[in-house]
Amino acid sequence: MVFLIESHLNLNTYMKNLLLLLILSLFSAQSFAGSCPDGSEPVKSVSADGSYYEYNCGGSNSSTSSQKVAKALAGIDIENDPNIDFFKPPIAPFPTDMMYWWGKKWQLADYNNDGFIDVFYVGVMRATNYIKDPEWEVTGEVECTNGDKCEGTKPLPSLFLGDADGNLTYSPHLLIDNREEPGMALGGQLIVADYNNDGVMDFYITDPGIQDYNGHRDSYFLSQKDGTWLESSNTHLSHPNFISANNGTTGDIDNDGDMDVVYTEMNRWERGTSFWCLMNDGTGFLKKRKCDGIDSFAFELADLDGDGDLDALVSGHEKGYSSAANLVITGIVWNDGRGNFNKHNYTRLPEHKQKWGVIAEVSASDLDNDGDLDIVYSRTSEDDFYVGAAIQIIENLGNKKFKDHGLIILEGKEHIFDIKFRDFDRDGDNDIYLVNDRDAMPKTNGTVLLNNGNFNFDIVRPDEALTLFRDGTDSKIMVSYKKHTLTDEAQSVEDEIAAFEAELAAELGE
């Protein structure tokens, strides 16, 4: 409310206006507290520029009060933080090359707050009794000789600490898992955020299990005052031996200032919900509750309508999975502002079900610098089970309208299971970095889609990206490998192996 006080107004008029201003201010504060003159609740809407909420009574277009929108933090904000140095870490540094069978995933962050970027890895246990089926690579199904149970050592996640010289040092002593059966069967989603609000990143790892994918048991590592991370499922999850299947992510879904975890299951018909929300009480204790949603294979949280809360980006296999009891869409389920995702309140996004109907991953970033988040889907072939890769880019037009810019088809057979964003060529817009776990066939792992504006992208292959980086001043892509340093124990093992091989060679007269 603005009053124009002109010089010809007398003192009485001025005092009347001032009194009116005070009364209106008091009324505004009372309205903001939750009541209109008729006793009804004010209607909340978003301002035209999307930066604050407006509260209106009786359908009036003028706001009785306003409040700045506190943008909810999402997991994609953490992993795509432009202030964090980005590099291409080795896909399986020692000893992860021996610990993990496949499915290796990594996340960059300064985990110990020393100013240097570290790497956190998860992966799949090496089953000692699996059946060597030549069709395994095609079907993706792992069969083991002991009925439904794959046996073997369940590895812990792996933390590599960075230093000023660009070394990565394996630091297993910092991750403590005191469960009777420690470790993970299949490290699914690596979900990083500060859950206990102590200024240090924590780790939530979904674990769908190695064989039937019905869930093994999640892992939840919380930072401690001594600089370690303690597996805290028994003390900080509302359900012991917590099982969340595979598709999980993190974000402050109820805008209360702490990070929650959301995951999906493909069994609404059994449990009455597709999303499970693990609500944080501020100390890192996560309480499980139903929050509706739509069944999904790939899943992410992002504010797609600019209203300050996080919506759910969902996707599924676009052939044959939807039914009256089990709706699967490629699209957005909208947050009601309180961390609920009504299954009837959704927007469908364009599909490509004929050839590229399987979606392996989804993420979001502002690719055209217009202030809203655009959407990137990783697609692969449904007919040839996760063979090949195509990237779909969808422009956010605002007002819940979206435009499909088609597919970018990538060379190679490996699908993309992680999407990250950085301005690699430093031209002011975000480029797209694509990840898989197959350095043995490096045609897609480390591919960069270089943003030329207007949703036009150049494909920069992994070897080209490294060449450009090593070219020095001509570099467009700020991506490099960083070496890692063996611990004393690991170096001792390497030395013993080398000595044994030398001794054996000497005995054989080589």
Side-chain angles (χ1 to χ4, degrees):
M1 180 71 69
V2 178
F3 288 96
L4 298 176
I5 304 178
E6 299 180 1
S7 59
H8 67 271
L9 292 178
N10 59 32
L11 181 61
N12 289 336
T13 303
Y14 173 80
M15 293 303 296
K16 289 179 181 179
N17 282 327
L18 181 60
L19 180 61
L20 179 60
L21 175 61
L22 292 174
I23 293 172
L24 288 174
S25 298
L26 177 61
F27 168 72
S28 177
Q30 291 173 337
S31 297
F32 180 70
S35 61
C36 291
D38 62 359
S40 65
E41 293 292 326
V43 177
K44 184 173 79 171
S45 61
V46 179
S47 65
D49 65 0
S51 65
Y52 61 91
Y53 289 130
E54 296 179 339
Y55 295 83
N56 301 310
C57 292
S60 171
N61 290 326
S62 61
S63 63
T64 58
S65 64
S66 63
Q67 175 190 10
K68 289 290 183 181
V69 173
K71 299 296 185 183
L73 185 68
I76 56 175
D77 299 322
I78 296 172
E79 67 181 66
N80 297 311
D81 184 351
N83 299 311
I84 293 178
D85 292 336
F86 188 92
F87 57 87
K88 181 180 180 178
I91 197 69
F94 178 87
T96 63
D97 53 347
M98 297 186 296
M99 294 166 58
Y100 306 144
W101 190 6
W102 47 275
K104 307 171 189 72
K105 296 184 178 180
W106 50 265
Q107 182 69 275
L108 302 177
D110 181 8
Y111 293 115
N112 59 350
N113 289 341
D114 65 352
F116 307 114
I117 303 305
D118 315 307
V119 189
F120 193 83
Y121 291 89
V122 298
V124 181
M125 65 176 280
R126 288 185 175 274
T128 57
N129 64 327
Y130 81 98
I131 300 173
K132 295 183 178 180
D133 185 349
E135 293 295 316
W136 174 73
E137 286 287 347
V138 177
T139 65
E141 297 177 0
V142 179
E143 294 187 21
C144 293
T145 57
N146 188 19
D148 292 334
K149 185 175 178 59
C150 290
E151 298 173 349
T153 301
K154 294 180 175 61
L156 289 176
S158 299
L159 177 61
F160 287 77
L161 296 182
D163 63 20
D165 296 324
N167 300 313
L168 293 172
T169 302
Y170 180 54
S171 305
H173 60 287
L174 297 179
L175 298 176
I176 301 171
D177 188 345
N178 293 324
R179 290 175 292 186
E180 183 176 343
E181 184 187 39
M184 55 190 173
L186 191 159
Q189 298 296 322
L190 169 54
I191 305 173
V192 174
D194 180 10
Y195 294 108
N196 56 7
N197 290 307
D198 65 351
V200 179
M201 292 296 179
D202 308 298
F203 314 110
Y204 193 103
I205 303 163
T206 65
D207 192 339
I210 191 174
Q211 187 165 0
D212 55 17
Y213 306 112
N214 287 328
H216 171 59
R217 172 209 58 191
D218 290 356
S219 298
Y220 184 36
F221 288 84
L222 289 175
S223 56
Q224 307 296 304
K225 292 181 178 180
D226 62 359
T228 63
W229 285 264
L230 176 65
E231 205 294 317
S232 303
S233 296
N234 289 335
T235 58
H236 284 74
L237 293 181
S238 61
H239 293 62
N241 294 318
F242 200 75
I243 296 174
S244 71
N246 186 36
N247 301 307
T249 188
T250 190
D252 183 7
I253 63 171
D254 55 354
N255 275 28
D256 65 350
D258 51 47
M259 297 295 282
D260 313 298
V261 173
V262 186
Y263 72 89
T264 68
E265 288 185 301
M266 297 294 291
N267 59 0
R268 166 181 286 277
W269 60 92
E270 294 179 8
R271 303 193 185 184
T273 189
S274 292
F275 292 0
W276 291 97
C277 293
L278 311 185
M279 306 307 298
N280 194 339
D281 70 353
T283 69
F285 184 85
L286 304 179
K287 184 176 181 180
K288 177 181 176 182
R289 70 168 173 84
K290 296 179 179 181
C291 45
D292 209 3
I294 292 175
D295 288 356
S296 178
F297 288 93
F299 178 56
E300 193 56 83
L301 291 170
D303 183 6
L304 277 306
D305 54 1
D307 65 351
D309 57 45
L310 299 176
D311 310 301
L313 267 169
V314 298
S315 57
H317 298 346
E318 292 174 346
K319 286 184 180 180
Y321 277 89
S322 290
S323 66
N326 179 32
L327 176 64
V328 180
I329 69 165
T330 297
I332 304 164
V333 188
W334 302 102
N335 191 335
D336 68 355
R338 298 183 299 275
N340 300 302
F341 303 87
N342 188 317
K343 65 179 179 180
H344 301 296
N345 186 19
Y346 64 85
T347 297
R348 286 185 179 270
L349 294 173
E351 298 183 346
H352 291 270
K353 65 175 63 177
Q354 294 307 314
K355 180 173 174 56
W356 302 99
V358 174
I359 297 179
E361 177 63 312
V362 61
S363 194
S365 179
D366 185 1
L367 298 175
D368 54 356
N369 288 334
D370 66 348
D372 55 34
L373 294 177
D374 307 297
I375 301 166
V376 180
Y377 279 109
S378 164
R379 291 178 172 271
T380 186
S381 170
E382 185 171 290
D383 297 328
D384 204 4
F385 196 81
Y386 281 81
V387 172
I391 303 300
Q392 180 187 15
I393 299 177
I394 300 174
E395 179 182 0
N396 189 340
L397 301 176
N399 296 317
K400 298 185 178 180
K401 304 294 184 182
F402 301 88
K403 178 182 178 180
D404 185 12
H405 284 271
L407 299 179
I408 299 174
I409 310 300
L410 302 179
E411 181 184 358
K413 295 184 177 181
E414 315 98 280
H415 71 278
I416 299 299
F417 64 58
D418 202 359
I419 303 167
K420 302 180 186 295
F421 302 93
R422 289 295 193 284
D423 182 9
F424 292 114
D425 55 1
R426 301 183 182 180
D427 65 348
D429 53 34
N430 275 337
D431 309 299
I432 305 172
Y433 186 85
L434 306 176
V435 183
N436 64 37
D437 70 339
R438 300 293 182 89
D439 257 6
M441 296 186 295
K443 290 190 175 181
T444 57
N445 185 42
T447 294
V448 173
L449 300 183
L450 204 61
N451 191 346
N452 295 318
N454 296 320
F455 291 91
N456 294 311
F457 294 84
D458 289 335
I459 300 175
V460 182
R461 305 293 182 189
D463 55 341
E464 296 172 329
L466 286 174
T467 300
L468 286 170
F469 175 79
R470 291 168 180 165
D471 209 21
T473 57
D474 240 358
S475 171
K476 285 189 175 181
I477 311 298
M478 304 303 294
V479 180
S480 70
Y481 283 97
K482 285 196 174 183
K483 61 182 179 179
H484 88 279
T485 301
L486 297 179
T487 62
D488 292 341
E489 181 180 0
Q491 187 62 59
S492 176
V493 172
E494 292 284 300
D495 292 343
E496 289 180 10
I497 293 174
F500 173 77
E501 290 176 343
E503 182 180 344
L504 181 61
E507 290 180 357
L508 296 174
E510 297 179 354

